[in-house]
Amino acid sequence: MTRRIASVLALLLVSAAPVFAQADARADAAGEWAVTFATPGGPEEFTMFVAQNGAKLSGRLTSDAGEFPLTGTVDGNHVKIVWSFPEQGKLLEITFTGTIEGDSITGTAKLDGLGQGPMSAERTGR
């Protein structure tokens, strides 16, 4: 009986290993990124610095206009990044959603109340 229990436990552990591996399979979003996205006024370019702790992202975007904190999440190879930009005396919330493939992100930039357009990013450093 003890041998049978040990065999069943071993089988369960071997069967569960792929499930645990899949649950922790997240794309690597950390690093420095060159970001371009569409706005009603034309394309905008920023440098994005991302730190990753599990599924949570933090960091900042920088440009000639200033520095802006970001938060976000990674789910598999899907990324969501949220930050705010001062526009005409108000803060405009901008949300990037995209797919990470190696050192590239492609997706959409949604500008709260102004529409959305394509965004892309290339990792330039770690």
Side-chain angles (χ1 to χ4, degrees), residues 20-126:
F20 291 123
Q22 288 175 0
D24 203 28
R26 288 186 194 94
D28 177 14
E32 180 179 332
W33 299 82
V35 178
T36 303
F37 62 98
T39 72
E44 291 287 338
E45 295 182 356
F46 284 78
T47 300
M48 180 170 69
F49 299 91
V50 178
Q52 183 171 350
N53 184 6
K56 293 187 179 195
L57 304 177
S58 61
R60 67 190 191 284
L61 285 107
T62 63
S63 75
D64 292 341
E67 184 172 299
F68 312 96
L70 69 83
T71 60
T73 56
V74 175
D75 183 8
N77 68 338
H78 299 286
V79 64
K80 179 179 179 180
I81 294 171
V82 180
W83 59 289
S84 295
F85 184 83
E87 179 71 23
Q88 298 178 359
K90 298 188 294 184
L91 284 179
L92 175 67
E93 186 173 276
I94 300 173
T95 303
F96 296 153
T97 54
T99 302
I100 300 174
E101 292 183 18
D103 290 330
S104 298
I105 301 174
T106 55
T108 302
K110 181 181 178 193
L111 287 68
D112 190 35
L114 296 178
Q116 63 185 27
M119 69 81 60
S120 63
E122 294 294 324
R123 192 179 341 241
T124 58
R126 291 265 176 198

